[in-house]
Amino acid sequence: GRESGVKVTTMHIENEIKLDFKDVLIRPKRSTLKSRSEVSLERTFTFKNSGKVWTGVPIIAANMDTTGTFDMAKVFAKHKMLVCMSKHILVEEWVDFCTKHPECVDFVAVSSGTSEKDWVRLQEIVSKTPVDKICIDVANGYSQHFVDYVRKVRAAYPTHVILAGNVVTGEMTEELLLSGADIIKVGIGPGSVCTTRKQTGVGYPQLSAVIETSDAAHGLRVLSCRFKVLGSC
C-alpha cells in the first residue's frame, strides 16, 4: 500500500522450517566401495554464460583475508580446488604469483567489490594476468547496483567465469544467472564469524539457502551452484 505517496512494504513472516547444516545428518546408504579413499570428487563443468569448460573438485575457498591467500591457492591447486583471492591483494603481487606459479592459474579467481575503484583494479589485474575467473563479492547481493555491476563485468569479459554473491534465495539466483554469472556464491548470516547477521539482522540458514538456490539454478539448467564455498558468511 501507499501512505502520503510513500510505498509501504508489508511485513511477511515465514513459518516454514529453515535448516542449517548443524540441524541435519547424512543418512548412510550401502556402497560397493571398500574405502572413502576410492571416492573421486572431480567433475567437469560447462558454465552457462562464459561457455568455459573446467575440470576439478567443486570446492571453493572464499575470498576472506585468512582464506583467500596465495599460500592457500598453492595447496588447493594440488587438489584441483578453487580459491577466490582476497580483494586486498595488489596488482603487482598478482603478476608475480601468476609468473611464478602458472600451474595455479586455473584454480584462482580475482575478487572485486562493486565500487569504481574496484572496477579499475579488476581491469588492471585481468589485463596483466592470464586469470580467467572473477568473483564479484558483496555481503548482501540484494541491490540493483550489484546486479548492474555483474552485467557490466559480463559485458566486458564475455568468456571469463564469473562468480557472484552473496545471495540466499531462488529469485536472486535466477537474476544473477540471467545477468551473466556462472557460479552463485550462497550465504548471508549463518557463519560463526559473520557480522552481517549481528549488525543488520539479515540472514538465512545455510542448508535451506543452498537447497533453494540450487533448485533455482537447476531450473535454468545450471549446475554450478553445487559448488561448496568455504569460509563464506
Side-chain angles (χ1 to χ4, degrees):
R2 292 179 179 272
E3 295 180 4
S4 303
V6 178
K7 183 178 180 181
V8 178
T9 302
T10 302
M11 181 178 293
H12 171 71
I13 297 176
E14 293 192 19
N15 293 311
E16 295 181 8
I17 294 176
K18 304 297 180 182
L19 300 172
D20 210 338
F21 285 115
K22 66 178 177 5
D23 298 321
V24 300
L25 292 172
I26 298 173
R27 180 181 179 180
K29 294 182 68 176
R30 180 181 295 181
S31 171
T32 59
L33 299 177
K34 297 178 181 178
S35 169
R36 286 174 292 182
S37 63
E38 298 179 26
V39 176
S40 174
L41 299 179
E42 191 171 304
R43 293 189 59 191
T44 296
F45 294 85
T46 300
F47 294 110
K48 177 179 175 64
N49 291 303
S50 65
K52 288 278 188 180
V53 177
W54 182 84
T55 298
V57 176
I59 294 176
I60 308 175
N63 58 319
M64 296 169 62
D65 292 345
T66 53
T67 57
T69 67
F70 287 134
D71 285 339
M72 184 75 76
K74 294 173 190 175
V75 176
F76 266 45
K78 295 177 182 178
H79 302 282
K80 296 186 177 181
M81 298 187 296
L82 287 166
V83 175
C84 292
M85 309 306 297
S86 166
K87 300 176 186 177
H88 305 299
I89 296 174
L90 301 176
V91 176
E92 295 75 18
E93 294 175 312
W94 264 108
V95 173
D96 182 65
F97 176 78
C98 292
T99 300
K100 294 180 179 178
H101 304 281
E103 74 283 0
C104 296
V105 169
D106 197 35
F107 301 99
V108 293
V110 56
S111 296
S112 171
T114 60
S115 69
E116 184 60 30
K117 182 179 179 181
D118 290 323
W119 174 237
V120 171
R121 174 182 171 276
L122 173 64
Q123 292 179 91
E124 188 173 1
I125 293 173
V126 172
S127 67
K128 293 183 178 181
T129 69
V131 176
D132 64 354
K133 297 176 186 63
I134 299 169
C135 175
I136 306 172
D137 173 66
V138 295
N140 184 340
Y142 288 78
S143 72
Q144 188 59 45
H145 173 71
F146 176 63
V147 174
D148 290 341
Y149 190 82
V150 173
R151 292 173 179 167
K152 178 180 179 179
V153 175
R154 172 52 69 205
Y157 304 107
T159 61
H160 279 58
V161 175
I162 295 178
L163 304 86
N166 289 11
V167 298
V168 294
T169 55
E171 75 276 5
M172 205 62 192
T173 296
E174 293 175 352
E175 179 76 15
L176 293 177
L177 291 171
L178 293 173
S179 297
D182 293 300
I183 300 173
I184 306 303
K185 193 165 179 281
V186 177
I188 299 176
S192 61
V193 297
C194 182
T195 59
T196 303
R197 179 182 70 255
K198 297 177 181 178
Q199 294 179 355
T200 69
V202 175
Y204 210 76
Q206 186 70 356
L207 179 58
S208 290
V210 170
I211 291 172
E212 294 179 27
T213 54
S214 294
D215 183 63
H218 299 163
L220 294 176
R221 301 180 66 83
V222 177
L223 299 180
S224 52
C225 275
R226 290 182 180 175
F227 276 75
K228 166 64 179 172
V229 180
L230 302 179
S232 172
C233 281

